[in-house]
Amino acid sequence: MARFIIRRLLSIIPTMFIIVTLSFFLIRFAPGGPFSSEKKIPEAVLQNILKKYHMDEPLLQQYGRYLQDILRGDLGPSFRYQDQTVNELIGATMPTSIILGSFALALAFFLGTLAGIVSALRQNKWPDYLSMSIAVIGISVPLFVIGPVLQLVFAMKLSWLPTSGWINSRAGWKTIVLPMITLAFPYFAYIARLSRGSILEVLRSDYIRTARAKGLKESVVIIKHVLKGALLPIVSYLGPAFSGIITGSVVVETVFLVPGVGQIFVQSALNRDYTLIMGDIIVYSAILVVMNFVVDILYGLLDPRIAYK
């Protein structure tokens, strides 16, 4: 196990190197640039700007300089946000997205797994139909519809929760409730469907019939035996889901005015802000790679039949 962990940790280095290299050259070869605009910039001014950001150097030299900066933990200056570095922009917004995404994913995991258990144990009965109907709504209805509907009902009609803002405002932690529920909805739906199918498959296994034949209580069979095997597909889904729920929450952040990293991600692409785009890619990729590593470790803990060689 320890040898596997070390190998997986070491494999992160070439993975990130390939991602950074491909992203750097793909962005630079794309048409346009961060200083392209409808109003033509005088050539002398443009050359001074390019020299300031070392963009007048050969591409391979720029690439080598960028790799050196990354190794020092410096993601460079933003081309569009004056006097701000990529580290400062991501560092100021990422904690907000991590808090919102973590709460949303935890809620989706708890309710989705619970819905899957109820659906599997009450297959083809009304709890099963109700849970899966809600799951279908979560998959089919977009977030820009769910968010305003929740605002209309719980903020404007019932006045239970604020319409927007964040936890550092006067409303405090109440502001996280509506965006958390909105962001969790599609992930709840996928987890509910995954857990239902996985639990049904495990319930038909021989070792579950053996456990019941031994006279174990149904609650013990479900919690100790069924769930442990049925969680594997869910755990596998949680890796990329965690990355997506943090960096892909731009719609929710816009609807509820949450100062997260999602809007920064979108604006960097629209502005062709090379360094900020690269910073976004590196952060997203790092989260995805690390979460997949954690998933691999959890696999061995959940199922001792899995051998790491």
Side-chain angles (χ1 to χ4, degrees):
M1 182 70 170
R3 190 176 301 174
F4 169 79
I5 293 175
I6 294 173
R7 283 205 307 267
R8 286 290 284 112
L9 282 173
L10 292 177
S11 69
I12 292 176
I13 298 174
T15 300
M16 293 301 300
F17 174 76
I18 293 172
I19 291 172
V20 170
T21 302
L22 289 176
S23 302
F24 181 88
F25 287 104
L26 286 174
I27 291 172
R28 297 307 174 101
F29 289 147
F35 309 114
S36 302
S37 61
E38 295 181 1
K39 183 179 180 181
K40 185 173 178 59
I41 302 176
E43 187 63 27
V45 175
L46 179 60
Q47 290 303 320
N48 288 333
I49 294 175
L50 294 177
K51 186 175 182 179
K52 175 184 177 181
Y53 293 109
H54 304 286
M55 294 184 65
D56 59 335
E57 300 174 351
L59 190 58
L60 288 178
Q61 189 174 344
Q62 295 181 43
Y63 171 67
R65 183 187 297 275
Y66 188 73
L67 286 182
Q68 292 177 3
D69 292 339
I70 290 177
L71 292 176
R72 294 196 301 266
D74 182 10
L75 297 176
S78 171
F79 293 159
R80 288 294 181 139
Y81 294 90
Q82 295 295 323
D83 302 322
Q84 287 186 289
T85 65
V86 176
N87 295 59
E88 291 172 346
L89 289 168
I90 294 179
T93 55
M94 182 59 74
T96 299
S97 294
I98 290 177
I99 292 173
L100 176 59
S102 299
F103 275 97
L105 191 59
L107 180 66
F109 175 74
F110 175 75
L111 294 181
T113 306
L114 184 62
I117 294 172
V118 172
S119 296
L121 296 180
R122 298 290 184 270
Q123 187 181 10
N124 298 327
K125 296 181 181 178
W126 73 264
D128 181 21
Y129 297 138
L130 178 62
S131 300
M132 290 303 101
S133 297
I134 297 174
V136 169
I137 294 174
I139 294 173
S140 57
V141 179
L143 295 180
F144 61 81
V145 174
I146 296 175
V149 169
L150 292 179
Q151 284 178 323
L152 177 64
V153 175
F154 293 102
M156 301 179 68
K157 297 293 185 181
L158 300 177
S159 300
W160 289 354
L161 298 167
T163 56
S164 60
W166 191 235
I167 54 179
N168 53 4
S169 64
R170 183 183 301 178
W173 285 92
K174 288 184 178 180
T175 55
I176 200 175
V177 176
L178 290 183
M180 176 182 66
I181 294 174
T182 304
L183 188 57
F185 215 96
Y187 293 91
F188 153 80
Y190 282 111
I191 291 174
R193 293 173 65 86
L194 270 176
S195 58
R196 178 185 183 272
S198 182
I199 290 171
L200 286 173
E201 183 178 353
V202 173
L203 284 172
R204 301 186 184 102
S205 302
D206 292 336
Y207 74 93
I208 297 300
R209 285 193 289 267
T210 303
R212 285 171 170 166
K214 288 181 178 179
L216 295 178
K217 292 182 179 179
E218 188 67 15
S219 58
V220 175
V221 173
I222 297 299
I223 296 173
K224 190 174 181 180
H225 298 284
V226 174
L227 282 183
K228 195 170 184 180
L231 283 177
L232 289 177
I234 304 172
V235 170
S236 180
Y237 172 74
L238 290 180
F242 185 76
S243 303
I245 205 170
I246 290 176
T247 57
S249 58
V250 60
V251 173
V252 175
E253 292 177 4
T254 302
V255 170
F256 294 97
L257 301 181
V258 177
V261 76
Q263 296 185 27
I264 296 294
F265 277 26
V266 173
Q267 286 301 318
S268 67
L270 295 176
N271 295 333
R272 301 301 305 278
D273 194 337
Y274 286 166
T275 51
L276 188 52
I277 294 172
M278 285 298 301
D280 297 341
I281 293 172
I282 290 171
V283 170
Y284 179 86
S285 302
I287 294 173
L288 182 60
V289 169
V290 170
M291 288 306 301
N292 284 335
F293 167 74
V294 173
V295 166
D296 288 342
I297 303 303
L298 290 177
Y299 255 54
L301 299 176
L302 288 172
D303 192 346
R305 297 174 297 177
I306 298 176
Y308 293 105
K309 298 180 181 180

